[in-house]
């Protein structure tokens, strides 16, 4: 439910933050606790152009700035905001206990938070009912971020699921460059573009015939048209992956529209309890399938059962030295930077001076699809969205960065420039594929799984 920051200096001037969806605990940072069905602009709590990461958990949200500051808001009954108390917070508030300790990444679980600092240290706060804070024999909750002492090596990536957490270390023999956590499954992406999955396969999210995988198992390359996987994201019961050519694949649970496509019949599909040797020989339901309207997506983020994407940007680029992507999901090997991008030296506290790409993607159109009971797809309704559709009120703005919580959404956008006198403002329209998919919206929208979502945010 999170992505790697751009390596650009800053977002363009005129960038603003929007929030919408479930808001029972103030997780939108708008100062109240009412659900919001349409994107609402946030009051400035930091310079929006300095926002580097956006993510969320069951009922809380977190934002990381370019300087490594951590801003949080929302549900805090277990101290998951790390502010030293357990009162809900209705506006984004700086985590003062981390001042002077720049944050690189933050991962939000249902009721806990995992924090990775720029020096590779991992901290945690919130509920520890299932040991998810990584503190053996620790308290049942922690209201201030504390270090996970068992992680001796430098950590390069973290992930938080419903009740569990993961970390990837930067050892020389380690191939993991990205880890992900869902409700009851985990995944890891290697530097060779191979995706490994393990845990529960109840909804086909492991692309396997086995009901459960106790050990990591690779999803074979032919499932991705023999292309390397470069980015991957995970919801609670579904996954989204992008390959080296920009193709986007989705698989797993689909009864809220979270895969963005219509499935083949489930007739005859049955999980096997022991034969896990055929990761991709199952039926269409458990197979990664290409979602053509998302090809070339510059940004993707998964909530519990909904998704956001930015389509129409320039695509990914990366810093050749620090291995941080301009766009995309989590630390990947360096990729060539286009010749038309200006390279500038950049020095940050605690880091050696090196070259970074000044120009980030120009942005694109924000799309949403999937579970929409609390309005987190931003179309003004509470009906599930079965195919990626532009978020209507953001169509005239350029999407730069998106992030999801379990049932809420946030986006960093650049507002359109005022038209020159005598000219008409340009409105970005949906891609042909997405528009065609959206035509079947009403026919597909049957709300088949509405009763079993357990009112995720209202009963936390």
């Amino acid at each position: 439910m999170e992505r790697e920051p751009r390596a650009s200096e800053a977002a363009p001037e005129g960038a603003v933050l929007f929030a919408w969806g479930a808001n029972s605990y103030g997780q939108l940072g708008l100062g109240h606790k009412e659900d919001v069905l349409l994107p609402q602009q946030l009051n400035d709590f930091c310079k929006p152009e300095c926002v580097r990461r956006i993510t969320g958990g069951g009922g809380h949200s977190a934002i990381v700035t370019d300087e490594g500051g951590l801003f949080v808001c929302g549900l805090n009954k277990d101290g998951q905001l790390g502010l030293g108390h357990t009162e809900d917070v209705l506006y984004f508030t700086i985590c003062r206990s981390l001042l002077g300790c720049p944050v690189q990444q933050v991962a939000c679980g249902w009721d806990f938070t995992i924090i990775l600092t720029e020096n590779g240290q991992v901290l945690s706060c919130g509920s520890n009912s299932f040991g998810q804070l990584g503190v053996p024999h620790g308290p049942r909750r922690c209201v201030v971020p504390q270090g996970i002492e068992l992680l001796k090596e430098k950590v390069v990536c973290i992930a938080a699921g419903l009740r569990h957490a993961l970390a990837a270390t930067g050892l020389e023999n380690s191939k993991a460059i990205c880890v992900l956590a869902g409700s009851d499954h985990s995944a890891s992406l290697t530097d060779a573009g191979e995706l490994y999955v393990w845990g529960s396969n109840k909804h086909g999210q492991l692309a396997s015939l086995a009901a459960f995988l106790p050990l990591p198992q690779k999803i074979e390359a032919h499932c991705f048209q023999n292309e390397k996987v470069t980015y991957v994201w995970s919801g609670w019961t579904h996954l989204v992956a992008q390959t080296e050519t920009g193709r986007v694949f989705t698989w797993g649970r689909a009864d809220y529209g979270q895969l963005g496509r219509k499935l083949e019949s489930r007739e005859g599909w049955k999980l096997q309890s022991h034969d896990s040797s055929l990761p991709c020989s199952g039926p269409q339901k458990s197979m990664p399938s290409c979602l053509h309207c998302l090809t070339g997506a510059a940004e993707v983020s998964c909530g519990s059962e909904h998704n956001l994407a930015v389509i129409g940007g320039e695509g990914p680029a990366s810093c050749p030295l620090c291995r941080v992507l301009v766009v995309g999901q989590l630390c990947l090997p360096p990729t060539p930077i286009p010749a038309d991008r200006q390279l500038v030296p950049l020095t940050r506290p605690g880091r050696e001076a090196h070259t970074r790409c000044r120009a980030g993607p120009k942005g694109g159109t924000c799309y949403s699809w999937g579970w929409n009971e609390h309005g987190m797809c931003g179309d003004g309704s509470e009906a599930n969205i079965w195919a990626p559709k532009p978020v209507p009120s953001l169509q005239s703005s350029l999407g730069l960065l998106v992030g999801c919580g379990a049932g809420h959404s946030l986006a960093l956008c650049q507002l359109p420039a005022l038209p020159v006198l005598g000219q008409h403002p340009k409105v970005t329209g949906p891609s042909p594929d997405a528009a065609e998919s959206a035509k079947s919206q009403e026919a597909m929208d049957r709300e088949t799984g509405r009763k079993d979502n357990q009112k995720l945010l209202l009963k936390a």
Side-chain angles (χ1 to χ4, degrees):
M1 299 193 284
E2 192 222 357
R3 45 87 67 200
E4 182 69 15
R6 302 174 309 278
S8 56
E9 259 190 347
E13 291 185 9
V16 296
L17 276 165
F18 291 91
W20 66 97
N23 195 35
S24 301
Y25 309 102
Q27 60 263 49
L28 299 184
L30 296 171
H32 61 79
K33 293 187 175 183
E34 300 296 326
D35 286 2
V36 175
L37 304 185
L38 294 170
Q40 299 293 315
Q41 185 174 334
L42 284 160
N43 293 326
D44 291 344
F45 55 89
C46 68
K47 294 181 179 179
E49 61 268 21
C50 293
V51 172
R52 184 169 54 161
R53 292 181 182 271
I54 308 171
T55 190
H60 65 297
S61 304
I63 287 177
V64 178
T65 68
D66 270 344
E67 296 303 317
L70 176 62
F71 288 83
V72 292
C73 68
L75 181 62
N76 195 34
K77 70 174 183 178
D78 291 300
Q80 54 263 57
L81 301 186
L83 300 177
H85 60 79
T86 58
E87 297 295 322
D88 294 349
V89 177
L90 305 186
Y91 295 96
F92 277 100
T93 302
I94 187 73
C95 186
R96 296 192 174 278
S97 63
L98 295 177
L99 292 177
C101 185
V103 172
Q104 172 66 23
Q105 183 190 355
V106 60
C108 297
W110 176 255
D111 51 10
F112 68 102
T113 305
I114 307 295
I115 301 161
L116 175 63
T117 67
E118 288 192 349
N119 64 9
Q121 182 186 13
V122 181
L123 304 98
S124 60
C125 58
S127 172
N128 196 35
S129 298
F130 299 87
Q132 61 265 53
L133 298 188
V135 182
H137 312 296
R140 290 186 63 84
R141 69 182 185 185
C142 179
V143 299
V144 175
Q146 58 181 338
I148 301 178
E149 303 298 335
L150 292 179
L151 292 172
K152 303 297 184 183
E153 300 86 7
K154 182 178 180 179
V155 172
V156 297
C157 178
I158 57 174
L162 183 66
R163 306 291 189 201
H164 71 292
L166 294 140
T169 61
L171 296 176
E172 291 184 2
N173 61 351
S174 173
K175 295 182 179 180
I177 56 173
C178 165
V179 288
L180 304 123
S183 174
D184 297 295
H185 70 267
S186 301
S188 176
L189 179 65
T190 73
D191 55 4
E194 298 174 336
L195 180 60
Y196 287 81
V197 292
W198 63 99
S200 171
N201 193 33
K202 180 178 180 180
H203 299 282
Q205 64 264 47
L206 304 187
S208 170
L209 291 177
F212 179 81
L213 293 177
L215 296 173
Q217 178 172 285
K218 183 174 73 172
I219 299 180
E220 297 298 336
H222 64 79
C223 293
F224 305 106
Q225 300 180 9
N226 293 312
E227 295 182 1
K228 293 181 180 180
V229 176
T230 51
Y231 317 126
V232 61
W233 302 266
S234 180
W236 280 2
T237 49
H238 72 288
L239 285 93
V240 180
Q242 190 171 43
T243 63
E244 55 193 335
T245 63
R247 291 188 177 96
V248 175
F249 295 78
T250 63
W251 69 101
R253 191 176 186 181
D255 50 358
Y256 301 109
Q258 58 266 58
L259 299 189
R261 54 186 170 84
K262 188 176 181 179
L263 295 179
E264 299 294 330
S265 173
R266 296 179 57 175
E267 184 177 357
W269 182 73
K270 182 183 296 184
L271 288 173
Q272 298 180 6
S273 58
H274 29 265
D275 184 9
S276 60
S277 62
L278 302 172
C280 284
S281 60
Q284 190 72 20
K285 178 183 184 295
S286 61
M287 289 272 288
S289 183
C290 187
L291 195 58
H292 296 289
C293 63
L294 294 183
T295 297
E299 294 282 337
V300 176
S301 182
C302 297
S304 61
E305 309 290 358
H306 78 289
N307 313 266
L308 297 176
V310 175
I311 306 175
E314 291 181 351
S318 68
C319 166
L321 297 182
C322 73
R323 293 169 59 100
V324 176
L325 285 174
V326 175
V327 297
Q329 169 68 15
L330 304 177
C331 306
L332 295 174
T335 55
I337 293 180
D340 59 352
R341 293 178 183 267
Q342 180 183 2
L343 298 178
V344 295
L346 174 67
T347 303
R348 293 182 61 186
R351 286 188 176 182
E352 297 179 359
H354 62 277
T355 301
R356 276 186 166 180
C357 175
R358 177 188 296 274
K362 292 182 179 179
T365 302
C366 285
Y367 282 71
S368 65
W369 69 99
W371 184 45
N372 196 30
E373 183 175 347
H374 299 282
M376 51 277 218
C377 289
D379 67 341
S381 79
E382 296 179 336
N384 295 340
I385 306 297
W386 295 87
K389 295 173 55 178
V391 179
S393 61
L394 298 182
Q395 278 191 261
S396 61
S397 301
L398 289 175
L400 302 172
L401 184 65
V402 290
C404 296
H408 62 284
S409 304
L410 299 105
L412 179 68
C413 298
Q414 183 180 6
L415 295 178
L418 295 175
V420 178
L421 187 63
Q423 294 183 353
H424 297 287
K426 181 179 178 180
V427 178
T428 303
S431 69
D433 285 333
E436 182 66 25
S437 298
K439 290 180 180 178
S440 60
Q441 166 71 25
E442 292 184 0
M444 298 171 65
D445 192 354
R446 297 182 295 271
E447 298 284 343
T448 56
R450 191 176 180 90
K451 293 183 179 180
D452 64 342
N453 59 43
Q454 301 177 359
K455 303 292 184 179
L456 294 178
L457 300 176
L458 299 179
K459 297 183 178 180

